[in-house]
Amino acid sequence: MANAQGRGGGRKFRAVTALQRYVVNPLTTRLPGQVLLETTGRVSGRPRRTPLGGRRMGDRFWLVAEHGEAAQYVRNIRADPRVRVRVRGRWYAGTAHPLPDDDARARLRSLPLLNSAVVRAVGTQLLTVRVDLDGD
């Protein structure tokens, strides 16, 4: 079962990640209102921007990674947890923390409805990520 949900395994995972990488992400990254997560590439050391959904709640930003530990941005966070998040056109620096013990399905109920529905529909291994934002 781990192969169907993990790195490189499962048709659903491969189909969703290919669609996101080559079609959805290049288009949505350019939208001014799109929330973006910027990580540092664990191999290249270059900034990597990923469009996603989530919500700022006080000095924290919450999101659910639909492919869990197999998501490239989660792998980048594991290598370097310092990130930036763009919310409503403004960038915020912070430190990301994957939370495998958090109930990701319950967390989705507190996040934007449309994105949460998509994450539930196409996700293969849900993982909550909390970003502790630096002071303004």
Side-chain angles (χ1 to χ4, degrees):
M1 188 68 161
N3 188 33
Q5 295 182 10
R7 292 181 197 115
R11 275 187 249 164
K12 182 178 181 180
F13 173 81
R14 288 192 309 273
V16 169
T17 55
L19 179 65
Q20 289 171 331
R21 179 174 293 152
Y22 299 112
V23 179
V24 177
N25 291 2
L27 295 173
T28 57
T29 299
R30 292 177 171 83
L31 297 174
Q34 176 65 52
V35 173
L36 295 177
L37 175 70
E38 184 179 83
T39 60
T40 300
R42 64 194 175 282
V43 175
S44 70
R46 296 174 48 183
R48 300 295 182 200
R49 292 183 177 175
T50 304
L52 45 76
R55 175 166 285 147
R56 181 176 179 175
M57 297 177 200
D59 61 351
R60 293 181 169 162
F61 183 84
W62 294 88
L63 66 111
V64 173
E66 61 200 14
H67 300 302
E69 297 288 343
Q72 296 299 317
Y73 66 88
V74 172
R75 295 173 72 193
N76 289 343
I77 287 168
R78 291 285 188 199
D80 180 357
R82 292 297 299 165
V83 300
R84 292 192 322 148
V85 181
R86 186 180 78 180
V87 180
R88 295 189 176 117
R90 182 170 176 204
W91 285 100
Y92 300 89
T95 304
H97 306 276
L99 303 173
D101 293 331
D102 190 69
D103 183 344
R105 290 200 177 276
R107 180 70 57 194
L108 283 171
R109 290 193 286 275
S110 69
L111 301 179
L113 185 63
L114 179 59
N115 179 262
S116 294
V118 172
V119 169
R120 274 192 293 279
V122 303
T124 56
Q125 185 180 9
L126 305 183
L127 174 67
T128 300
V129 177
R130 183 189 77 225
V131 179
D132 295 333
L133 303 173
D134 298 343
D136 291 331

